[in-house]
Amino acid sequence: VVVIQPFLGAADLEAIRRAISSVRRHRRRMEIKDELLEYFDERLFWRNLQASSEADLIRTLGESMVALGVIDESYVEGAIEREAMSSTAFTDTIAVPHSMVMSAARTAIALVVNETPMPWGENRVNVIALIAFSETGRKAFQTVFDQFVEVFSDRDDVQRIVRRATDFSSFIDELVHVIDA
């Protein structure tokens, strides 16, 4: 609701513009959030989860995805094999392990956000995102994936998310905020 004077003035027009802008921003952020929630699931989110190796962390994430019917054990082993070929840490803050085969029942992301970086290949990363690709969902996922990569390519954005994403809900809110910034 925007309260205006009986005779519309410049201040009233500015209040209307601000209200419209706020509604548009809110609507855009809700659309981004809905898109993200197609691929992120609270049951596939961890905060400060460490493991003794990349393979152990991939197995831990993969087990949860298997339990939800997203992937099977062969996908997990494929992601471990892929990681052994070369590290999937593509910045000094994030690793994105995945299988070379798009055999997931649906495209989804299991995510770890750690305050303390974990060794990953030659890097130390705060965020590990096991991505399960399905053949049918890959094309629709590309836009979300591109935004995700862009966010996690900026060290300041990553640090903001690591500091503020204390649970799944705050992670999604921070990711939406950074994408829409």
Side-chain angles (χ1 to χ4, degrees):
V1 173
V2 178
V3 179
I4 58 172
Q5 301 300 317
F7 297 101
L8 193 64
D12 296 321
L13 290 173
E14 184 56 33
I16 292 168
R17 282 189 195 99
R18 280 194 312 270
I20 290 170
S21 177
S22 177
V23 168
R24 285 181 178 156
R25 183 174 48 253
H26 178 74
R27 185 178 299 141
R28 186 175 57 248
R29 287 185 174 176
M30 289 301 98
E31 288 170 359
I32 293 168
K33 185 174 185 176
D34 288 345
E35 261 189 276
L36 292 173
L37 290 174
E38 287 183 39
Y39 305 105
F40 289 98
D41 183 319
E42 186 169 9
R43 298 167 293 180
L44 298 173
F45 177 85
W46 290 266
R47 176 80 176 161
N48 295 322
L49 176 67
Q50 296 287 328
S52 59
S53 69
E54 295 96 332
D56 285 345
L57 191 60
I58 291 170
R59 278 192 187 90
T60 299
L61 301 179
E63 287 170 6
S64 296
M65 294 180 107
V66 169
L68 293 175
V70 174
I71 58 175
D72 60 18
E73 287 294 332
S74 68
Y75 193 95
V76 176
E77 293 308 314
I80 292 169
E81 288 172 17
R82 163 63 185 86
E83 193 65 41
M85 285 189 250
S86 67
S87 175
T88 57
F90 65 87
T91 68
D92 60 349
T93 56
I94 186 170
V96 186
H98 58 280
S99 175
M100 298 294 284
V101 179
M102 292 187 270
S103 61
R106 64 181 173 88
T107 299
I109 302 171
L111 190 80
V112 175
V113 177
N114 289 333
E115 287 178 69
T116 304
M118 173 181 173
W120 199 276
E122 299 295 316
N123 297 316
R124 296 184 57 77
V125 298
N126 293 91
V127 179
I128 300 95
L130 175 60
I131 301 184
F133 290 111
S134 74
E135 186 69 45
T136 58
R138 177 125 169 90
K139 188 174 184 179
F141 176 67
Q142 192 62 50
T143 301
V144 171
F145 183 71
D146 291 345
Q147 290 172 330
F148 185 76
V149 168
E150 185 176 328
V151 165
F152 287 96
S153 295
D154 184 305
R155 188 158 186 69
D156 291 337
D157 288 343
V158 173
Q159 292 309 312
R160 174 192 169 113
I161 290 169
V162 168
R163 274 192 319 274
R164 296 182 180 185
T166 56
D167 58 16
F168 179 74
S169 180
S170 60
F171 167 74
I172 292 295
D173 290 344
E174 285 303 317
L175 189 53
V176 168
H177 178 80
V178 171
I179 287 172
D180 191 46

